Amino acid sequence: AGHTNTMINGLRHRIQLVTALKLAEEVQQNLLPQEPPYLVGLDIAGTSKYCDETGGDYYDYLELPKGSLGVVVADVSEHGVGAALLMTTARALIRQRAAMTGDIARIFTDVNQELYKDVKETGRFMTMFFLEIDVAGKMLRWIRAGHEPAIFYDAGKDTFDELAGEGMALGVDKNIEFHEFTRQGWIAGSVVVVATDGIREALGEQGEMFGLDRLREAIRKNLTEPAEAIQDAIIKELRIFQGDTPQQDDMTLVVVKLL
């Protein structure tokens, strides 16, 4: 009877944990964009695939005060519930500060100072790529905070470039000053892909990483398709490459097609 009671209590506790995780998963999924923004001249798709019920990856679309569109993709160190909580905090800080005045370099310098207060004792941090798209002026502006560069397919030259630049991860140094990088103009049909490292570093059955070349090839093969179809094709190629290998990290991907 004693063993049975212990087992019942253990099962009851496990059910409570599973229920709490499912609730956390539902809350976090509701914080992600439910649909892409509609903006003349842009076709956008995004997705996050977590390796646990909750994760530290994050993407969002922000309407900026000057009428341009902000696309943010971020990755909290580690994953799971702790990373999800920090992601939620960062999302709130970014949304609040982006609604105010200031260029994107000032915005994320301020966000970093506030985030640092929450993580300085934990050793956690968050990498982030923020892309501002000014459709009217045909201008791309971005901040790179320790995140891997975005991929830019130039439809005019039929080449791939990187939207790179220096910048430390958020939450590491409260005194860091971020700097904005720019690219002027694009040809219709050009594509920007912003992803977390869970895409590129996904492992196949032979222990090899998916890598940048496979990612670019998946983009190239689907250039004539809408953004959502390009996104789905990348995920499909990735799943085929992984085979039966379990997902080891959260994966987030945003595709922007410049029309």
Side-chain angles (χ1 to χ4, degrees):
H3 285 305
T4 300
N5 288 336
T6 300
M7 181 182 69
I8 290 172
N9 288 332
L11 288 173
R12 185 178 292 118
H13 180 60
R14 178 174 175 79
I15 290 171
Q16 290 172 343
L17 287 176
V18 170
T19 301
L21 282 173
K22 281 296 181 183
L23 178 59
E25 178 184 15
E26 181 181 343
V27 170
Q28 188 173 33
Q29 287 297 323
N30 287 334
L31 293 178
L32 297 175
Q34 301 304 303
E35 58 184 19
Y38 174 77
L39 195 63
V40 175
L42 297 179
D43 179 21
I44 303 176
T47 187
S48 282
K49 310 288 185 185
Y50 296 139
C51 59
D52 296 324
E53 287 84 355
T54 57
D57 275 15
Y58 158 59
Y59 76 98
D60 205 354
Y61 311 119
L62 304 174
E63 294 183 12
L64 300 177
K66 294 181 180 179
S68 54
L69 178 71
V71 177
V72 56
V73 173
D75 182 1
V76 175
S77 56
E78 303 177 13
H79 48 83
V81 175
L85 290 172
L86 181 53
M87 181 277 274
T88 305
T89 299
R91 175 185 183 273
L93 290 173
I94 292 170
R95 282 188 155 233
Q96 180 185 40
R97 182 59 186 84
M100 303 176 186
T101 57
D103 58 33
I104 59 174
R106 184 71 258 161
I107 288 171
F108 284 96
T109 297
D110 292 346
V111 168
N112 176 68
Q113 290 174 354
E114 292 302 316
L115 190 65
Y116 177 82
K117 297 175 184 177
D118 290 340
V119 302
K120 61 182 179 180
E121 303 297 335
T122 68
R124 287 186 178 273
F125 59 89
M126 184 178 80
T127 68
M128 183 213 64
F129 192 97
F130 184 86
L131 176 67
E132 179 185 358
I133 308 172
D134 178 358
V135 178
K138 274 200 165 184
M139 175 74 78
L140 300 178
R141 303 180 184 91
W142 67 90
I143 298 291
R144 182 173 172 237
H147 204 84
E148 60 183 63
I151 298 171
F152 182 87
Y153 170 76
D154 189 328
K157 299 178 181 178
D158 188 27
T159 58
F160 284 98
D161 296 323
E162 289 187 340
L163 304 184
E166 296 180 353
M168 188 178 293
L170 299 172
V172 176
D173 180 357
K174 69 176 180 179
N175 297 315
I176 191 73
E177 293 283 337
F178 288 97
H179 300 284
E180 173 186 299
F181 301 92
T182 62
R183 183 184 183 110
Q184 177 67 56
W186 60 74
I187 300 297
S190 297
V191 176
V192 182
V193 174
V194 191
T196 55
D197 57 9
I199 299 284
R200 183 173 49 82
E201 295 178 359
L203 297 177
E205 293 180 318
Q206 304 303 316
E208 183 181 5
M209 290 196 299
F210 186 66
L212 185 58
D213 290 341
R214 289 186 179 88
L215 177 54
R216 288 181 172 181
E217 183 59 25
I219 297 169
R220 183 182 290 280
K221 288 194 300 186
N222 296 276
L223 287 171
T224 59
E225 300 295 329
E228 186 173 7
I230 296 174
Q231 169 201 278
D232 292 345
I234 292 171
I235 297 299
K236 181 180 179 181
E237 291 287 340
L238 180 59
R239 296 304 189 197
I240 292 173
F241 172 79
Q242 286 181 296
D244 294 328
T245 305
Q247 182 177 334
Q248 300 294 321
D249 196 5
D250 302 329
M251 300 177 181
T252 295
L253 176 71
V254 173
V255 178
V256 181
K257 194 163 188 181
L258 304 167
L259 305 178

